[in-house]
Amino acid sequence: GMRLARGDAAPVPRRAWVAPRRAVVARAEKESAVPPLGDAPMIALAGDGVRSEAIPATPGVYAIYDETEAIQYIGLSRKVSASVKLHVFELPKQCAFARCASLPDAAKPDLQAAWKAWMMEQLAATEGALPPGNTSGNALWTERKNRKTKPNLRLTKGDGDDASDEDVQLLCGEAVKKHRVVAFIKGTRAEPECGFSHRMCAMLDELLVDYETIDTLDEANNGNLRNVLKTFSDWPTIPQLYLDGELVGGHDILEEMHANGELKEMLAPAEK
C-alpha cells in the first residue's frame, strides 16, 4: 500500500501492523460507543457546509480531510461544530471535508476512548502513519488561544424584533460611545460565524485588548442590525471595529494595521 508516513516520522515496519491490527481496532471500537471512522459520512465544508446540520453541536469526535480526501487531523471536542468551524477559519486549505460522530452524553474518558478507536482504525489503514495534524510538534490544530468568554453586548432587552431601524441606530451610537472598543461581528468571540469575524477577534485577543462584541446576526436582541449598521457606519461589510465612538474599519484595514504595528499603537490603553 501507499506509505503516508511523513519524512520526519520513522515508518513502522509493515509486519508490525498487519497481524494484530484487526484485533486491536475491533477491541478499541468495542470499548468505545463510537461507530467506525470509515462508516461516518464525509461532509463537504466549503461555503455553508461548515454550518451543516450533520456536524453535531454536541460532544464527540471528528476527522478533517483536505480536498484530495487525505486525512489531516483527528480530534475530540465538547462541541464538535465549534471545533470544526474554528479549524476551517484557521486552516482553510487543509479543511475540505469532515467526518463526525456525536456522543451527546460522553464524559471525558468516553471521548478519549472514541478518539483512540478512530485513531487505531486510521493507523491500521495507513501502516502506522499518524494524520499530519496529530504528529508531535504540529501545534497548528491544537494550540487554542484562551479566549475570554465575555458575552456579547445586547442593544435591547430581547425585544429587538419590535425595535425600529431608527431605534437600533441610536442604540448603536450609545454602545460605541459608552464602550471604548466595540467589534460588530457575526456570532460570538468564542464561536464566530465567519472567518473575518474570527480573525478580528483573534487580532484583538492577541493584542490583549479589552473589547466588547455585538452580534449582527442576533435579531432577537439587536433587531435589523445587519442592515442598519451599513447606514450607521457608512461601511458595507461586517465585521467592523469602533474605537472611542469612531469607525476604525473592517477586517482588511485591520489586517493591514495589525501587520504594520499601527493597530497595537492605536489600541494601547489611554494614559490615565
Side-chain angles (χ1 to χ4, degrees):
M2 230 170 69
R3 190 176 290 289
L4 297 179
R6 285 150 57 95
D8 55 4
V12 178
R14 187 183 168 87
R15 67 176 175 280
W17 273 96
V18 174
R21 72 183 179 191
R22 283 188 198 88
V24 168
V25 173
R27 188 168 70 242
E29 272 163 7
K30 198 170 146 203
E31 285 167 9
S32 156
V34 74
L37 169 62
D39 290 358
M42 194 74 97
I43 303 156
L45 298 173
D48 264 354
V50 73
R51 291 179 190 82
S52 161
E53 295 289 309
I55 304 175
T58 62
V61 286
Y62 61 92
I64 304 281
Y65 299 79
D66 68 10
E67 55 204 10
T68 69
E69 296 191 12
I71 195 160
Q72 299 300 304
Y73 183 68
I74 298 177
L76 56 88
S77 175
R78 305 286 333 144
K79 187 177 182 185
V80 173
S81 55
S83 296
V84 170
K85 213 177 277 174
L86 215 47
H87 292 317
V88 171
F89 295 158
E90 289 181 349
L91 301 165
K93 290 188 175 66
Q94 284 106 305
C95 303
F97 300 96
R99 285 184 160 135
C100 308
S102 171
L103 299 162
D105 306 317
K108 196 174 178 184
D110 306 324
L111 289 176
Q112 287 167 334
W115 179 88
K116 184 182 169 190
W118 272 22
M119 187 57 83
M120 297 303 274
E121 184 182 335
Q122 179 59 27
L123 291 172
T126 58
E127 298 168 17
L130 284 164
N134 295 104
T135 55
S136 66
N138 184 339
L140 285 175
W141 297 81
T142 50
E143 239 178 23
R144 284 278 161 270
K145 300 276 182 289
N146 285 330
R147 299 212 153 188
K148 295 193 185 83
T149 51
K150 198 175 184 183
N152 285 327
L153 281 184
R154 295 171 179 163
L155 296 181
T156 74
K157 291 184 168 65
D159 51 359
D161 295 339
D162 303 331
S164 70
D165 287 2
E166 290 73 31
D167 294 340
V168 173
Q169 201 157 332
L170 285 169
L171 291 164
C172 283
E174 285 172 22
V176 300
K177 284 188 185 75
K178 184 178 174 190
H179 302 279
R180 183 169 178 261
V181 184
V182 179
F184 288 92
I185 62 171
K186 293 180 180 176
T188 66
R189 71 181 79 201
E191 197 178 333
E193 285 296 336
C194 78
F196 298 126
S197 296
H198 166 76
R199 278 293 304 141
M200 186 174 278
C201 291
M203 285 184 270
L204 295 171
D205 288 343
E206 204 176 303
L207 296 173
L208 305 175
V209 174
D210 184 32
Y211 65 101
E212 301 297 335
T213 51
I214 299 178
D215 180 6
T216 56
L217 303 178
D218 179 3
E219 291 177 7
N221 285 299
N222 303 326
N224 185 24
L225 177 58
R226 201 172 1 170
N227 294 311
V228 173
L229 190 60
K230 293 168 188 176
T231 317
F232 173 73
S233 60
D234 200 17
W235 190 264
T237 56
I238 295 165
Q240 297 179 11
L241 186 74
Y242 275 77
L243 171 67
D244 295 324
E246 298 290 324
L247 176 70
V248 178
H251 160 265
D252 293 354
I253 289 175
L254 253 72
E255 284 278 11
E256 208 172 293
M257 291 174 70
H258 186 44
N260 66 22
E262 269 180 76
L263 190 63
K264 184 177 184 177
E265 212 168 294
M266 179 188 268
L267 296 174
E271 293 298 320
K272 292 276 185 290

